[in-house]
C-alpha cells in the first residue's frame, strides 16, 4: 500500500484488534483480519532490498542465458572445467562416516564437536603450540567463518568494555555488517594503496598508533580479501609491535589458510607470531575454501587467553552467546573436517589437494598476465602476479566492470575484484579480450 505510514498501519491494526474482540464476544471464529476488511499486509511498507554485493553477482549470473558467461564474483574454487570441486579426502571422510553405524544424530554440545575444536586450534596454532599445551586456548565450533566472526563480535560486545573494531580499507564487505550488528562499531584503518597496488604500510602503522589503547584490530591472517595484498614477515613484525605496545586486541579472520602459499603452516605465520609473544587474540577459521566445504558451514572461533583459568571462563560465556543464537551447531561438516584433520593419511592427502588448488590459481595468474601482455593491453598488470590468494584486485572501475558484464557476460564484484579460482585456460582469452576492450574503450573516450 503506497502512502502507508506507521500511524496508518497502527490504526489499521487497532481496527483489526477491535473487530477481533467483538467477534470473540459474540462467540464467532473468523479468520484474522476479519472478512470485509480490505486485507492490508502488515509488511506492506517493506522495501525491496538490494542483492548482496558478492552473492548477488551469482544471482545475476544464474539469470544470464548467454553460453559465454563466466562467474568471477564469489570466491569459490572451480575446476578447469568450471565445475565445483568436492575434494577426494572429503568424499573418503564422508564414506567412513556413512559406514560407521555408531554415529547418531544427537544434538552436539553447545560448543560443537570437541575433537574438531581441538584439531582446529592445532591447525592454526601449530601442533606444538605452547598456548594449547597450557590450556590457554578455548575453541568453539562455528557456522563457518561468518558465524565465528559473529559469535566473536557478540562476545566482545558483552564482555570487552566499550569495544570498537578497526578494519582495513578495503575489507571483505560483510565485516562492516557483522560487527555493528553484533554490537561492535567499525572504524577504518589504511591498508591498500591504489597508486602502488600494494600495502600502505606507513598509513596502516600510523592509524594503529592513533587508534585507542585496547581497540580491537581486525587482521586478515593471509590472502587479504579483496586486495590479495599481504604484509611481508617484517611488516607483520612491525604491525605486531604497534598492536602489542597499545594493548590492542587482534581479531584474525582466517578464511584462506593454505590458499595463499599452498602451505598450511606458512599461511599461519602471522597468527602464530602474535600467539608466540604470549598475548591474547581471537581467531575466526573457515573450512569453506581450504576443504571446499562451503555449504557445510563449518568453521571455528578460538580465543587465546593469558591463563587456563581465564580461557575456561571465556568458554563458559561463549556458550551463553551461542545457546540463544542457534543452540548448538550442525554435526556433519565438523565430523568431516575432524576425520581429515585427525587422520595422518587423509591429512597428508588433503595438503596435496590443497596445494593443487593453490597452484592452479597461481597458474591462472600467469596465464592471464601473459595473455594481456600478448594483447598489448595498456597498463602495468604485474599486480596480477604479485597478489596472493583467490582474488586479483584488478584496478578496473565500476563502469569498466559493468561494460564487461554487459558486453562480455563476465560477472565480478563492482570493486573490480575477480576470483582467479573461477578462471580456466578456456575462459582466460575471453576475459583478456574483455579487459582489453574496456581499457581501450574507456581510454578512447577520455
Ligand atoms: N572472511 C573472509 C575474509 C572471506 O573472504 C569470507 C568469504 C569469509 C570470511 C566467510 O566465509 P564463510 O563461508 O562464512 O566461511 N568470502 C567469500 C564468500 C562470501 O562473500 O561469502 C567471497 O568474498 O567471495
Amino acid at each position: 500500500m503506497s502512502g502507508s505510514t506507521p500511524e496508518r498501519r497502527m490504526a489499521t491494526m487497532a481496527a483489526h484488534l477491535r473487530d477481533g474482540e467483538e467477534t470473540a464476544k459474540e462467540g464467532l471464529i473468523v479468520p484474522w483480519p476479519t472478512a470485509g476488511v480490505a486485507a492490508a499486509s502488515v509488511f506492506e511498507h517493506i522495501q525491496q532490498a538490494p542483492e548482496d554485493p558478492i552473492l548477488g553477482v551469482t544471482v545475476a549470473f544464474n539469470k544470464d542465458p548467454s553460453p559465454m558467461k563466466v562467474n568471477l564474483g564469489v570466491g569459490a574454487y572451480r575446476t578447469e572445467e568450471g565445475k565445483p570441486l568436492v575434494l577426494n579426502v572429503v568424499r573418503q571422510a564422508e564414506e567412513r562416516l556413512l559406514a560407521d553405524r555408531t554415529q547418531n544424530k544427537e544434538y552436539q554440545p553447545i560448543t560443537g564437536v570437541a575433537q574438531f575444536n581441538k584439531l582446529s586450534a592445532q591447525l592454526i596454532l601449530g601442533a606444538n603450540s605452547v598456548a594449547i599445551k597450557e590450556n590457554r586456548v578455548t575453541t568453539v565450533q562455528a557456522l563457518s567463518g561468518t558465524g565465528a566472526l559473529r559469535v566473536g563480535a557478540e562476545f566482545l560486545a558483552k564482555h570487552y568494555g566499550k569495544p570498537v573494531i578497526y578494519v582495513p580499507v578495503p575489507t571483505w564487505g560483510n565485516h562492516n555488517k557483522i560487527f555493528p550488528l553484533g554490537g561492535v562499531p567499525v572504524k577504518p584503518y589504511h591498508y591498500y594503496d591504489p597508486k602502488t597496488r600494494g600495502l600502505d604500510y606507513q598509513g596502516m602503522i600510523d592509524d594503529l598508533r592513533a587508534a585507542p589503547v585496547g581497540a580491537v584490530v581486525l587482521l586478515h591472517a593471509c590472502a587479504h580479501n579483496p586486495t590479495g595484498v599481504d604484509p611481508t614477515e617484517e611488516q607483520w613484525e612491525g604491525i605486531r609491535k604497534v598492536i602489542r605496545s597499545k594493548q590492542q586486541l587482534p581479531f584474525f579472520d582466517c578464511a584462506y589458510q593454505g590458499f595463499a602459499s599452498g602451505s598450511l603452516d606458512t599461511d599461519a605465520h602471522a597468527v602464530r607470531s602474535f600467539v608466540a609473544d604470549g598475548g591474547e587474540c581471537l581467531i575466526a577459521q573457515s573450512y569453506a575454501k581450504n576443504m571446499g566445504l562451503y555449504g557445510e558451514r563449518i568453521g571455528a572461533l578460538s580465543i587465546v587467553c593469558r591463563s587456563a583459568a581465564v580461557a575456561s571462563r571465556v568458554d563458559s560465556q561463549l556458550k551463553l552467546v551461542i545457546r540463544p543464537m542457534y543452540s548448538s551447531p550442525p554435526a556433519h561438516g565438523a565430523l568431516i573436517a575432524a576425520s581429515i584433520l585427525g587422520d595422518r593419511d587423509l591429512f597428508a592427502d588433503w595438503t596435496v589437494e590443497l596445494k593443487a588448488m593453490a597452484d592452479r590459481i597461481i597458474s591462472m595468474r600467469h596465464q592471464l598476465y601473459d595473455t594481456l601482455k600478448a594483447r598489448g593491453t595498456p597498463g602495468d598488470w604485474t599486480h596480477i602476479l604479485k597478489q596472493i590468494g583467490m582474488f586479483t584486485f584488478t584496478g578496473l572501475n565500476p563502469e569498466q566492470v559493468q561494460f564487461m558484464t554487459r558486453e562480455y557476460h563476465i560477472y565480478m564484484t563492482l570493486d573490480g575484484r575477480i576470483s582467479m579460482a573461477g578462471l580456466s585456460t578456456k575462459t582466460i582469452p575471453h576475459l583478456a579480450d574483455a579487459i582489453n576492450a574496456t581499457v581501450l574503450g574507456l581510454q578512447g573516450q577520455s
Side-chain angles (χ1 to χ4, degrees), residues 225-243:
N225 177 13
T227 67
V229 172
D230 282 353
T232 62
E233 281 194 21
E234 258 183 0
Q235 288 170 333
W236 271 120
E237 197 43 26
I239 295 163
R240 190 186 63 76
K241 282 189 180 139
V242 174
I243 288 179

Side-chain angles (χ1 to χ4, degrees), residues 54 74-75 144-146 172 225 253 255-256 286 288-289 297 391 417:
I54 297 176
V74 68
S144 215
T146 306
W172 179 52
N225 177 13
D253 182 358
Y256 300 95
S286 166
K289 327 278 170 159
R297 311 309 294 140
F391 304 106
R417 183 190 87 164

Side-chain angles (χ1 to χ4, degrees), residues 322-363:
I322 293 167
R323 171 69 169 147
M325 206 192 279
Y326 53 86
S327 190
S328 63
H332 191 64
L335 295 175
I336 296 170
S339 312
I340 296 170
L341 295 171
D343 181 287
R344 194 186 293 260
D345 294 336
L346 285 186
F347 189 93
D349 290 350
W350 176 43
T351 60
V352 174
E353 287 193 77
L354 184 53
K355 175 90 170 46
M357 289 195 283
D359 284 350
R360 200 184 81 74
I361 294 171
I362 291 168
S363 126

Side-chain angles (χ1 to χ4, degrees), residues 14 22 131 155 174 185 235 281 423:
E22 270 152 33
F155 170 80
N174 220 11
Q235 288 170 333
C281 67
L423 279 171

